Amino acid sequence: MKDQAEGLRNLVQTQGDKGTRTTRIITVTSGKGGVGKSNFTLNFALSLQSLGYKVLVFDADIGLANIDVLMGVSSTYSLYHLLKKDKTIWEIIQKGSNDLEFIAGGSGFNDLLRLTEEELDYFAEQVMQLNGYVDFIIFDTGAGLSKETLKFILAAEEAIVVTTPEPTSITDAYAIIKMVNSMGHDVSFKLVINRVTDAREGKQTADKISLVAQQFLNIQIPTLGFVDDDPVVSKAVKRQIPFSIAFPYSTATKSIKTLTDNYIKGYRVIEKPSTGVKSFLNKMLKLLK
């Protein structure tokens, strides 16, 4: 695997980044399941798209991939078909709500860890084509710290951690931040507090995690915002329509829009320049050794 990774890394270096637009890589994760991570990912992506950004969602949740289900569409192809060289990267990109582009993952991420050198070369060649094609690639990872989820968090430029005010959710969210931090990787974490009754509860929850991270890990974790515990969210899930589309004037949708505005302000003013798909692949390859 070391020789394979080295060969792929050379390929990535020689190809370089194409196009004038640099693609930013974001992972969305959570310490535990059931906190609304995928729902947040989908509506956050749609909110970015509504601001004029081009977004691609990569469903990287191996066990519970459901981005397509939340949009009421059926996935014809997935990462698996790309890794087996049955399809190109362009052929596995599908469209969902408001023409949001996405790639279904499924079992493909397990296969990613067992590729031959030829398959790795093809994977890199294909994924590199995405740089400059979109402004953001958002990976919706699995909950918890599986080896696949961990690799995507460590390789991406930033990780949005979704949690709720529940004590177990708070504890697990901190645990995932602590684990990644202990591995010595420079990952920019941001918090999203989902299902809050009001802004005060959201701030209290965020402060608990931020203060402990500052005290014991010596890192600062900014909060992107809070998403209200709105009954329209479950209604939208049952209808298989993203809540920001089904209920555009709901409190949950307003929360997502405010949160997205906060993200873009930080992205434009504070954040370091994006390092693109090339950097993501280089980091991923080191983790595959």
Side-chain angles (χ1 to χ4, degrees):
M1 180 61 76
K2 182 176 181 180
D3 291 339
Q4 295 171 6
E6 184 64 33
L8 180 51
R9 190 152 45 248
N10 290 336
L11 176 64
V12 172
Q13 293 287 358
T14 56
Q15 280 195 319
D17 290 334
K18 299 178 180 179
T20 57
R21 173 164 47 191
T22 301
T23 299
R24 191 169 188 86
I25 310 292
I26 306 170
T27 56
V28 180
T29 189
S30 62
K32 66 189 291 290
V35 301
K37 171 183 57 62
S38 295
N39 228 335
F40 164 77
T41 300
L42 174 57
N43 287 279
F44 177 57
L46 286 167
S47 186
L48 283 170
Q49 184 174 272
S50 72
L51 295 177
Y53 294 96
K54 191 169 177 59
V55 185
L56 173 69
V57 176
F58 219 130
D59 197 342
D61 191 335
I62 294 172
L64 298 171
N66 59 5
I67 288 293
D68 54 348
V69 176
L70 290 172
M71 292 188 287
V73 298
S74 178
S75 299
T76 306
Y77 304 114
S78 69
L79 179 64
Y80 173 84
H81 297 93
L82 175 69
L83 298 183
K84 294 306 177 184
K85 301 176 70 173
D86 294 333
K87 299 293 178 181
T88 68
I89 192 73
W90 307 114
E91 290 174 314
I92 68 170
I93 295 176
Q94 298 163 87
K95 289 188 177 181
S97 303
N98 284 6
D99 286 334
L100 177 69
E101 294 185 318
F102 73 98
I103 293 176
S107 63
F109 290 103
N110 279 323
D111 297 324
L112 181 59
L113 304 177
R114 300 187 294 269
L115 294 182
T116 65
E117 183 173 357
E118 182 183 358
E119 290 168 337
L120 277 169
D121 287 349
Y122 184 73
F123 171 73
E125 177 189 354
Q126 292 294 308
V127 175
M128 279 297 295
Q129 296 180 58
L130 294 177
N131 197 71
Y133 174 67
V134 293
D135 296 295
F136 298 98
I137 297 177
I138 305 177
F139 285 95
D140 180 38
T141 70
L145 273 178
S146 68
K147 60 184 178 181
E148 294 84 10
T149 295
L150 188 59
K151 284 178 172 56
F152 279 98
I153 295 174
L154 295 174
E157 296 177 71
E158 58 187 308
I160 296 176
V161 181
V162 180
T163 185
T164 70
E166 296 178 359
T168 54
S169 181
I170 295 172
T171 301
D172 290 344
Y174 174 73
I176 202 168
I177 294 169
K178 180 180 179 181
M179 172 63 76
V180 172
N181 183 72
S182 70
M183 301 180 72
H185 288 256
D186 183 22
V187 178
S188 175
F189 284 106
K190 294 177 178 63
L191 284 175
V192 167
I193 316 301
N194 195 24
R195 299 175 184 162
V196 302
T197 55
D198 53 36
R200 182 172 177 234
E201 183 181 51
K203 186 177 186 306
Q204 288 177 338
T205 303
D207 286 347
K208 287 179 183 178
I209 299 174
S210 297
L211 290 173
V212 173
Q214 176 66 49
Q215 181 177 356
F216 295 101
L217 306 179
N218 195 31
I219 58 174
Q220 293 185 348
I221 304 179
T223 302
L224 277 182
F226 322 122
V227 182
D228 289 340
D229 188 10
D230 192 332
V232 304
V233 174
S234 61
K235 292 179 182 179
V237 171
K238 292 175 182 177
R239 290 170 55 180
Q240 292 184 283
I241 304 173
F243 65 78
S244 58
I245 294 177
F247 303 97
Y249 303 107
S250 65
T251 57
T253 300
K254 292 177 182 177
S255 298
I256 286 288
K257 288 182 177 179
T258 299
L259 186 151
T260 306
D261 288 341
N262 291 339
Y263 176 83
I264 291 301
K265 288 176 183 176
Y267 170 61
R268 288 173 174 167
V269 178
I270 302 173
E271 292 289 351
K272 56 189 177 183
S274 174
T275 51
V277 175
K278 179 178 176 180
S279 175
F280 171 77
L281 282 173
N282 277 326
K283 291 178 183 177
M284 179 66 76
L285 293 172
K286 291 178 182 178
L287 296 168
L288 288 173
K289 287 174 29 174

